[in-house]
């Protein structure tokens, strides 16, 4: 009787190990395409990279995100819009602020605030 129980237990160990390893498998990939967004933000706040370098990096990231079929994270388009605003490229600023609002409606009030501030400055 004990021998039969031990053999069943021995047979169950590989199954348990397989289930354990399967449970440790990697989960789904990231939801957003981050690209160089975080280094660009770091460079912006530390002033290590200029606005034009950041714009080039973020624009390239947008292309890669489109190619990968993934959305960019919240704030990506807004940051790009702010960079264009620094360079006084208002048409591009408006384009990216509107893109941020369209992708993340919860950002609409902040984008509208920035747009109103821009209109008052003119």
């Amino acid at each position: 009787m004990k021998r039969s129980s031990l053999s069943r237990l021995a047979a169950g160990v590989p199954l348990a190990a397989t289930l354990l390893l399967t449970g440790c498998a990697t989960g789904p990939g990231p939801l957003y395409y981050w690209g160089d967004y975080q280094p660009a933000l770091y460079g912006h706040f530390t002033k290590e990279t200029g606005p034009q370098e950041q714009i080039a990096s973020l624009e390239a990231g947008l292309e890669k995100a489109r190619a990968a079929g993934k959305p960019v994270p919240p704030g990506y388009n807004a940051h790009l819009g702010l960079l264009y605003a620094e360079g006084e490229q208002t048409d591009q600023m408006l384009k990216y602020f509107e893109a941020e609002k369209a992708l993340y409606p919860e950002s609409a009030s902040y984008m509208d605030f920035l747009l109103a501030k821009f209109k008052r400055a003119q």
Side-chain angles (χ1 to χ4, degrees):
M1 205 52 145
K2 287 185 178 182
R3 190 170 222 182
S4 175
S5 297
L6 285 176
S7 65
R8 279 192 222 157
L9 181 65
V13 169
L15 176 64
T18 302
L19 290 174
L20 181 65
L21 292 175
T22 304
C24 295
T26 58
L31 182 60
Y32 302 111
Y33 180 84
W34 290 88
D36 290 334
Y37 180 50
Q38 292 170 321
L41 275 179
Y42 182 78
H44 178 76
F45 290 118
T46 60
K47 308 286 186 206
E48 288 180 359
T49 56
Q52 293 305 318
E53 290 175 73
Q54 294 173 45
I55 287 172
S57 174
L58 293 176
E59 289 280 4
L62 280 177
E63 291 299 320
K64 290 177 184 174
R66 284 186 196 114
K70 287 191 166 191
V72 292
Y76 193 103
N77 286 301
H79 184 70
L80 198 48
L82 287 173
L83 291 170
Y84 278 117
E86 286 179 13
E88 298 182 8
Q89 295 176 288
T90 56
D91 55 333
Q92 293 288 28
M93 176 197 72
L94 293 172
K95 173 185 163 186
Y96 286 107
F97 282 177
E98 292 298 329
E100 183 75 20
K101 283 172 49 175
L103 284 173
Y104 305 102
E106 63 272 17
S107 71
S109 61
Y110 185 60
M111 293 296 104
D112 289 341
F113 166 76
L114 291 176
L115 289 170
K117 193 172 179 177
F118 168 72
K119 288 177 184 172
R120 273 187 265 143
Q122 283 186 337

